[in-house]
Amino acid sequence: MNLPQPRTRFQNYNKRLLNATRAVCESKMEKAAKEAIVENNSDNNIAVAVNGTWQKRGYTAHNGVVTITSMDTGKVIDIGVLSKYYACKNKKNHETKLQK
């Protein structure tokens, strides 16, 4: 379609939206974890279901996600994003950051 590149003025709004979404997500998951502990008679050892998936089938996927859900409340307690790919800006720190 030969359209010009979009302007970067939306980048600030995207960062704000990401930060707000992350803050709400973390507070809701923390609240869900506390609810699950209360439901389990104040015992930290709660029953959870762990489910994960990769971006595509086979061994070629580079991105995935894992969710941990409380068995008692059915609410998401934690999430994790997985990646086989890591882009390092500084080649000197590549080995130490890759291990993280």
Side-chain angles (χ1 to χ4, degrees):
M1 294 175 63
N2 212 9
L3 295 173
Q5 287 281 17
R7 296 183 186 248
T8 59
R9 63 181 168 194
F10 293 110
Q11 189 172 11
N12 291 333
Y13 296 112
N14 286 338
K15 286 181 183 179
R16 288 183 192 174
L17 183 61
L18 175 64
N19 291 335
T21 305
R22 183 176 289 145
V24 169
C25 179
E26 288 174 359
S27 68
K28 291 291 185 180
M29 288 189 300
E30 185 177 335
K31 184 179 175 185
K34 288 178 181 177
E35 285 179 21
I37 291 171
V38 168
E39 186 81 21
N40 198 26
N41 299 325
S42 298
D43 187 10
N44 287 345
N45 296 324
I46 58 175
V48 295
V50 180
N51 191 8
T53 185
W54 287 97
Q55 186 176 3
K56 49 186 172 172
R57 284 196 244 168
Y59 297 100
T60 60
H62 292 287
N63 303 308
V65 65
V66 175
T67 58
I68 300 173
T69 308
S70 168
M71 295 293 286
D72 298 327
T73 62
K75 295 182 179 180
V76 175
I77 294 176
D78 197 10
I79 60 168
V81 178
L82 309 170
S83 180
K84 290 183 183 178
Y85 177 76
Y86 181 78
C88 195
K89 294 178 185 176
N90 187 352
K91 296 249 182 196
K92 292 179 183 178
N93 295 334
H94 180 75
E95 291 299 321
T96 56
K97 291 198 175 224
L98 188 61
Q99 291 175 358
K100 290 180 183 179

